Amino acid sequence: MLRVQERRWRSLMRFALATSPFYRKHLAGLDPDRCAYTDIPPITKSQLTANWDEIVPDPRLRMDRLRAFLSDRRNWGTLYCGRWMVSESSGTMGSPATLPQDVVALDWMHAVHSVRNGPLPDKASLPPWHPFKRRLRLASFICTRAPFSSAAIFKTRPWVSSLFHTHHPIPIDTPWHEVIERLNRIQPDVLLLYASMLERLAHAQLEGSLQLKFSHPAATISTGVDVTALRLIRNEKPARRALA
């Protein structure tokens, strides 16, 4: 595995030097055939945003074109140039980033997220798949008021998840009492949600209003983003917690 990783990062480094003006400056003096992995200087998110057009060699992925694509809400959840899903990060680390994801890589990532289970990698196993067996019930909290990947990935490539799950999307601006009602009705085996919602759901479970069983061997809870994103989406004042 280490040899495969080394071969791949050296190949990637050669490609970056051959195609990217930014990396020719950023990696100046480094020999991709002899340098150590630790010799490669990292780049920050702000550097990525500021130098995008010099970093990414494909002229179709110029930042102004990507932003113009997302400015039309009808494009959310569709493929840009038939190849890339374009989404925007929430900006919780400072400023939002516009990110295109190649559809092949997206399908692999989506599939891996769909089949992962088990407390440790060596305990994970592929879920049994049969066209007549019940698929895992997946409930995911999604943002439909911004071009975030939480909603775009299911709209862009719905068939990937449907191989393994029955998907029940829940918009994050759904009233809280309705969230509880829907989760109790769905009884998800897999729950994808924003990190800031987990504590409140845990309290609801302890109090008895939420009654999730999670009895399936592949039951999973996965969290992402944080309270800042929800505060921005719900237009709440900074002094208030988004979901508490």
Side-chain angles (χ1 to χ4, degrees):
M1 179 62 71
L2 291 176
R3 286 195 297 270
V4 170
Q5 290 176 341
E6 180 176 356
R7 184 170 68 249
R8 288 180 176 178
W9 71 254
R10 290 190 187 279
S11 175
L12 181 61
M13 186 176 178
R14 294 187 197 97
F15 179 78
L17 287 168
T19 60
S20 167
F22 172 85
Y23 273 112
R24 279 195 287 271
K25 292 179 289 186
H26 192 66
L27 302 176
L30 294 180
D31 184 343
D33 295 318
R34 294 180 174 82
C35 71
Y37 183 73
T38 52
D39 294 333
I40 302 174
I43 65 170
T44 64
K45 182 180 177 180
S46 58
Q47 284 178 302
L48 174 66
T49 303
N51 298 280
W52 177 271
D53 288 346
E54 285 198 340
I55 293 174
V56 180
D58 195 315
R60 293 170 294 181
L61 297 179
R62 295 291 180 255
M63 185 54 64
D64 57 346
R65 297 183 182 181
L66 297 176
R67 288 173 175 163
F69 179 78
L70 286 185
S71 66
D72 186 345
R73 187 167 184 157
R74 293 172 297 181
N75 291 329
W76 297 359
T78 65
L79 291 178
Y80 173 68
C81 294
R83 179 174 173 181
W84 292 279
M85 183 191 82
V86 185
S87 61
E88 193 173 81
S89 69
S90 63
T92 55
M93 300 299 290
S95 60
T98 302
L99 303 169
Q101 291 177 275
D102 181 85
V103 68
V104 175
L106 183 70
D107 287 347
W108 275 104
M109 181 188 72
H110 198 173
V112 167
H113 278 293
S114 296
V115 302
R116 66 178 182 175
N117 61 80
L120 296 170
D122 61 342
K123 302 295 184 183
S125 61
L126 288 176
W129 187 90
H130 191 281
F132 300 111
K133 284 187 177 180
R134 180 182 75 82
R135 293 173 185 159
L136 297 177
R137 289 185 291 262
L138 164 65
S140 67
F141 287 86
I142 62 173
C143 174
T144 58
R145 294 168 56 186
F148 292 167
S149 60
S150 61
I153 191 170
F154 290 107
K155 287 186 64 178
T156 306
R157 313 294 284 175
W159 63 270
V160 178
S161 178
S162 67
L163 292 172
F164 309 98
H165 301 125
T166 301
H167 184 215
H168 303 269
I170 304 175
I172 60 170
D173 53 0
T174 301
W176 185 249
H177 72 277
E178 188 176 334
V179 168
I180 298 298
E181 291 173 1
R182 292 179 67 172
L183 287 176
N184 282 332
R185 183 174 65 252
I186 296 166
Q187 284 297 315
D189 304 302
V190 180
L191 184 59
L192 305 182
L193 73 166
Y194 292 93
S196 50
M197 302 183 72
L198 189 55
E199 181 182 1
R200 192 173 182 187
L201 287 175
H203 282 298
Q205 182 84 6
L206 290 171
E207 293 163 1
S209 59
L210 183 63
Q211 299 175 357
L212 301 183
K213 299 179 178 64
F214 283 111
S215 57
H216 195 283
T220 306
I221 297 177
S222 180
T223 63
V225 194
D226 62 25
V227 70
T228 306
L230 301 182
R231 200 181 285 139
L232 293 171
I233 294 164
R234 293 189 171 198
N235 297 316
E236 295 194 12
K237 295 180 180 179
R240 294 177 58 193
R241 288 186 62 189
L243 288 167

